[in-house]
Amino acid sequence: MSRTILCFGEALIDFHSEGGDAFGFPRSFVPYAGGAPANVAVAVARQGGAAAFAGMLGKDLFGDFLLDSLRRAGVNTHSVARTAEANTALAFVSLDAHGERSFSFYRPPSADLLFRPEHFHADTFRDLAVFHVCSNSMTDAALAETTREGMRRARAAGALVSFDLNLRPALWPHDTDPRAAVWPALHLADVVKLSAEEFAWLAVDGEEAALEQLWQGHARLLVVTDGSQSLRWFHPDADGELPVYAVPAVDTTAAGDAFVGGLLCQLGKLSGGAASLDHLVAELPRLHATLRFAAACGALTVTRQGSFTAMPDEAEVYSFMETYA
């Protein structure tokens, strides 16, 4: 039986704008199930992986919708908690003419911020291949410590730990520098995914200094994506660049999450924990095939609207790769 890829953090409702009035304002907003780590869990499930999600949902209509959407996608929700103390988070999404998205968040307060270490079950970290988080669960001090505690427990259980920065500045308090909260998590991760913009934001003293700081932790693989431009990968002893797929974009909302889901599905098949990343980098054709698969997942997703609903299955990804070979 496949070991589980567990994604932790927020699940929320993405309200996508549709139509427009004479003044350019949307006529309506359509709800889609979303949230970065929840998207990754669905991406894994769509690829046939054993996916699970851990997080807190409100005891409201939106929480019901998200829980049902996760289950319908094939995601294990055993580690989902519910609360009546806050509502489920919402985000309103606007797309420009090129499919690039912008967000307006209704968070905090929201239910996902209330998850604490005691909400993890005794068996949450059993038989894990990968534990995945992003920085959206670090905007609140108590939740940030819960996230790091989850990363530590997963590592102790022998799982790979994955971190996607997925920076959303609007979610952070105005008087807070997110870097102070992000670096401890980066040091707990084996696999790190950044966008090119996030890498530039993180590398305030230059890329070499940022990489040197990253390698002081557990990280063995950093992947930096840049839309349709070539991605870059880094290992303490090697680095490289790889072309990806250029496709017309309809909606870029969940492209990075689809990339991560595809990547984690491939990495979850490896054995040997973090050491397996060193072996993967030593076999460049295998590493490149892994990254190209993840890139194909991301490219396919931008051709569709939505988040959960945009995730491709494995057959679609391989067919796409053959078409664009």
Side-chain angles (χ1 to χ4, degrees), residues 216-261:
Q216 291 173 9
H218 294 281
R220 307 303 292 169
L221 179 64
L222 165 66
V223 181
V224 180
T225 59
D226 191 13
S228 61
Q229 304 301 308
S230 295
L231 65 78
R232 302 162 69 194
W233 62 266
F234 300 87
H235 177 271
D237 300 320
D239 60 76
E241 201 169 298
L242 193 69
V244 295
Y245 303 93
V247 295
V250 173
D251 182 353
T252 63
T253 302
D257 304 326
F259 179 97
V260 172

Side-chain angles (χ1 to χ4, degrees), residues 2-325:
S2 299
R3 292 189 302 154
T4 300
I5 296 173
L6 174 63
C7 303
F8 170 73
E10 89 279 7
L12 52 76
I13 304 296
D14 286 327
F15 282 99
H16 287 246
S17 59
E18 289 195 357
D21 61 18
F23 302 99
F25 293 105
R27 289 188 179 276
S28 62
F29 286 90
V30 179
Y32 288 87
N39 290 338
V40 174
V42 171
V44 170
R46 290 284 286 163
Q47 295 301 318
F53 176 75
M56 184 79 79
L57 300 176
K59 290 183 178 179
D60 53 26
L61 180 64
F62 294 130
D64 293 343
F65 174 64
L66 286 167
L67 191 62
D68 181 68
S69 297
L70 286 164
R71 288 172 174 168
R72 286 177 181 271
V75 176
N76 184 317
T77 59
H78 174 64
S79 294
V80 172
R82 305 292 297 270
T83 181
E85 295 182 20
N87 292 328
T88 302
L90 309 178
F92 288 81
V93 184
S94 296
L95 302 174
D96 66 16
H98 305 288
E100 288 295 332
R101 76 283 187 271
S102 58
F103 297 97
S104 295
F105 293 100
Y106 283 71
R107 171 187 185 263
S110 59
D112 62 291
L113 298 174
L114 301 181
F115 197 100
R116 297 294 179 264
E118 59 267 24
H119 294 124
F120 288 123
H121 295 296
D123 61 351
T124 292
F125 299 95
R126 186 180 302 160
D127 296 324
L128 284 192
V130 183
F131 182 69
H132 172 72
V133 302
C134 72
S135 71
N136 294 348
S137 62
M138 314 203 81
T139 60
D140 169 85
L143 183 59
E145 178 51 34
T146 300
T147 305
R148 291 189 292 268
E149 176 62 18
M151 297 171 84
R152 289 188 288 264
R153 292 189 192 183
R155 174 171 300 286
L160 278 175
V161 178
S162 166
F163 183 77
D164 177 9
L165 182 53
N166 197 45
L167 185 67
R168 299 288 180 262
L171 293 178
W172 292 81
H174 295 302
D175 58 351
T176 300
D177 181 0
R179 295 176 187 86
V182 162
W183 270 111
L186 287 166
H187 283 151
L188 287 169
D190 301 300
V191 181
V192 175
K193 187 268 182 187
L194 305 173
S195 69
E197 294 84 357
E198 289 165 348
F199 193 22
W201 172 84
L202 199 63
V204 289
D205 296 317
E207 289 187 359
E208 289 301 319
L211 289 169
E212 182 178 351
Q213 187 173 355
L214 181 64
W215 305 140
Q216 291 173 9
H218 294 281
R220 307 303 292 169
L221 179 64
L222 165 66
V223 181
V224 180
T225 59
D226 191 13
S228 61
Q229 304 301 308
S230 295
L231 65 78
R232 302 162 69 194
W233 62 266
F234 300 87
H235 177 271
D237 300 320
D239 60 76
E241 201 169 298
L242 193 69
V244 295
Y245 303 93
V247 295
V250 173
D251 182 353
T252 63
T253 302
D257 304 326
F259 179 97
V260 172
L263 177 63
L264 297 185
C265 263
Q266 298 301 305
L267 296 182
K269 299 173 183 177
L270 304 177
S271 58
S276 64
L277 297 174
D278 296 330
H279 298 311
L280 181 64
V281 170
E283 302 176 27
L284 279 184
R286 192 176 175 196
L287 173 65
H288 288 174
T290 296
L291 295 175
R292 289 280 286 175
F293 181 88
C297 292
L300 259 174
T301 300
V302 305
T303 66
R304 306 165 176 178
Q305 190 169 18
S307 300
F308 287 14
T309 55
M311 299 298 173
D313 63 31
E314 187 177 46
E316 290 176 306
V317 175
Y318 281 122
S319 176
F320 173 86
M321 294 175 74
E322 289 178 5
T323 302
Y324 281 84

